[in-house]
Amino acid sequence: MGALRRLVPLSIACLLSTALAACSGGGGSIAITGTAGSTASTGNTGGAGQSATGSPTTFTIGGTVTGLSGTLGLLDNGSDSLSLSQPGTFTFAAPVASGSPYAVTVASQPSAQYCGISGGSGTAAADVTSVMVGCDPDVLQVLYAFGAASTDGQAPQSELVRGVGSNSDLYYGVTAKGGAYGKGAVFEITPAGAETILYSFKGMSSGDGSSPYNAPTPVGSDLYGVTETGGTLDGGTIYELNSLGVETVLHSFKASTDGAWPLSSLLAVSSSSGTTFYGTTSTAGSYGYGTLFSFTTSGIFTTLHSFGSSRAPSLHDPSFHLLLASNGNIYGVTTSGGTDTSAGGVFAYDPSTNTYAVVHEFTGRSNGGAEPSSGLMQASDGDLYGVTTSGGMNSGGIVYRLNLDSTPPSYQAIYSFPGGNVGAAPFSTPYQASDGNLYVMTYSQGAYGRGTIVSISTSGVLQKVLHAFGGTSGLSAPGSGLLAGASGTLFGLASSGGPYSQGAIFKLY
């Protein structure tokens, strides 16, 4: 089973797009700004048309655009076009019949800007003047595009990781495809965008790993990571890559005993006795649904838990990175299992007592969310935050919080993605920036149907849509998280799109 297919739940294609409700404005003078698709209109107080009894039969649709510095293209109901070149009020040329829907969308973004719409849809009951279009500088810039050379990596996955010590100004990641042998690669990139392939995987025929899907973990000058496939039995590997670019396979997964197809990054926990890595496999193990394992630098591998036990609730398919929280417990998520077998859950492992516990089961209902699609992060308030790809009030996924002050941790869905311009199917671990807000990437919908980057407060209030994938950047399929550089700049990955259609590294500024 391919990991990319596993990482993109089927429910993404079925997400409902819930547009933001619009308010209907009253009559009054409406001035049009723009050229193509528009005609001048003033004094339109009685609607665009009158019935025989004098009641309006059609209404005009318009609003206000702010911050625009280029040329913006808008559409109403997918066909009535309007081109705007300066801020101000606007009205579409074609009226809408009384009681009929309207839906204002962005047809083309201005250069170096991103424009978002609020109040863009509803049912015409009067002349509408309340559609709000706000334009800001586009914060996304492509730092490096994969695929220019045949030996370059392709389809970068996960997020970037920052080096440690003398390598703290460098960033590392993996591509699931490409490299010199077409089996994936480990790469290094500088903040200025200079990329170097550090290692190309050779695959099972050489006893090597293939298809890495999560970034390596820096320990000193070395990198430790996993590959989904390859190794002696094609169940994946644990590898070490030293500073000279020499790779060593430390462990080949054996499926039935220790799991197979590891997808998550390794979590490094240091102690006086050395470094212990914790990770998960997405399948196999005692019950066929993956494992939680540990591995030491001295080569000791231990299966700590096999997922899918008949003891309820049974969680299945852990696929995302683990988190060591401030209370000493290790937390992770599964994409399925639990009482609602398709919804997944959150688990905890206490290394000091070798104890595994289910922390939360997702329900898929309006406040529950389903199919966790990234790992957890611990914010400055001490709470854990994560996302689910589906479920929630609008079936578009949620941001949720786990409060560690209670035992077991209390759960709250703090934000439900509405679809439309905001996006749906969040697919990245929330990142808390210096402004205190959570930055999340979605996988679908948005202005171009390829996802968005949004900021949301820890209280669950949408702050801003920062970027819509598929627009001027041409990127899609964002990875599983953002990373802050030394200067506070955020970096991320897109696994497809870009100049060579092989994905890219981008930065937010």
Side-chain angles (χ1 to χ4, degrees), residues 104-203:
V104 180
T105 57
V106 174
S108 61
Q109 296 279 4
S111 176
Q113 280 195 305
Y114 173 76
C115 300
I117 298 175
S118 62
S121 63
T123 300
D127 286 342
V128 175
T129 62
S130 55
V131 179
M132 301 300 297
V133 183
C135 300
D136 294 293
D138 194 336
V139 299
L140 186 143
Q141 176 184 338
V142 174
L143 184 66
Y144 179 80
F146 290 94
S150 60
T151 57
D152 197 9
Q154 301 174 11
Q157 302 296 320
S158 182
E159 60 264 329
L160 296 170
V161 295
R162 188 175 172 185
V164 296
S166 60
N167 294 328
S168 61
D169 59 343
L170 298 173
Y171 305 91
Y172 302 94
V174 296
T175 65
K177 301 177 182 179
Y181 308 99
K183 304 292 186 180
V186 180
F187 65 85
E188 169 190 283
I189 190 163
T190 70
E195 184 248 21
T196 303
I197 296 295
L198 300 178
Y199 183 76
S200 292
F201 292 96
K202 301 178 180 68

Side-chain angles (χ1 to χ4, degrees), residues 329 348-357:
N329 289 337
Y349 176 76
D350 185 346
S352 65
T353 60
N354 192 30
T355 302
Y356 166 90

Side-chain angles (χ1 to χ4, degrees), residues 22-120:
C23 301
S24 296
S29 177
I30 304 174
I32 290 182
T33 303
T35 54
S38 64
T39 57
S41 173
T42 59
N44 186 5
T45 61
Q50 298 282 339
S51 68
T53 60
S55 299
T57 59
T58 59
F59 298 107
T60 56
I61 307 300
T64 303
V65 59
T66 60
L68 179 63
S69 62
T71 300
L72 168 68
L74 297 178
L75 287 175
D76 182 29
N77 289 331
S79 59
D80 188 14
S81 62
L82 184 63
S83 179
L84 308 176
S85 57
Q86 61 185 29
T89 56
F90 64 89
T91 301
F92 285 93
V96 174
S98 177
S100 295
Y102 62 92
V104 180
T105 57
V106 174
S108 61
Q109 296 279 4
S111 176
Q113 280 195 305
Y114 173 76
C115 300
I117 298 175
S118 62

Side-chain angles (χ1 to χ4, degrees), residues 391-440:
M393 299 287 290
N394 308 296
S395 300
I398 64 168
V399 179
Y400 63 89
R401 171 171 53 216
L402 292 168
N403 187 302
L404 298 185
D405 292 335
S406 60
T407 304
S410 61
Y411 165 87
Q412 181 185 10
I414 66 169
Y415 182 76
S416 289
F417 284 85
N421 287 316
V422 176
F427 206 69
S428 71
T429 302
Y431 176 82
Q432 188 175 35
S434 57
D435 60 8
N437 292 321
L438 305 176
Y439 286 68
V440 176

Side-chain angles (χ1 to χ4, degrees), residues 324-380:
L324 178 63
S326 57
N327 61 6
N329 289 337
I330 294 171
Y331 292 88
V333 302
T334 69
T335 58
S336 61
T339 302
D340 182 343
T341 57
S342 64
V346 180
F347 64 87
Y349 176 76
D350 185 346
S352 65
T353 60
N354 192 30
T355 302
Y356 166 90
V358 175
V359 172
H360 179 74
E361 298 176 75
F362 293 98
T363 64
R365 293 186 286 273
S366 61
N367 65 341
E371 297 176 305
S373 48
S374 73
L376 294 159
M377 60 83 65
Q378 188 166 25
S380 57

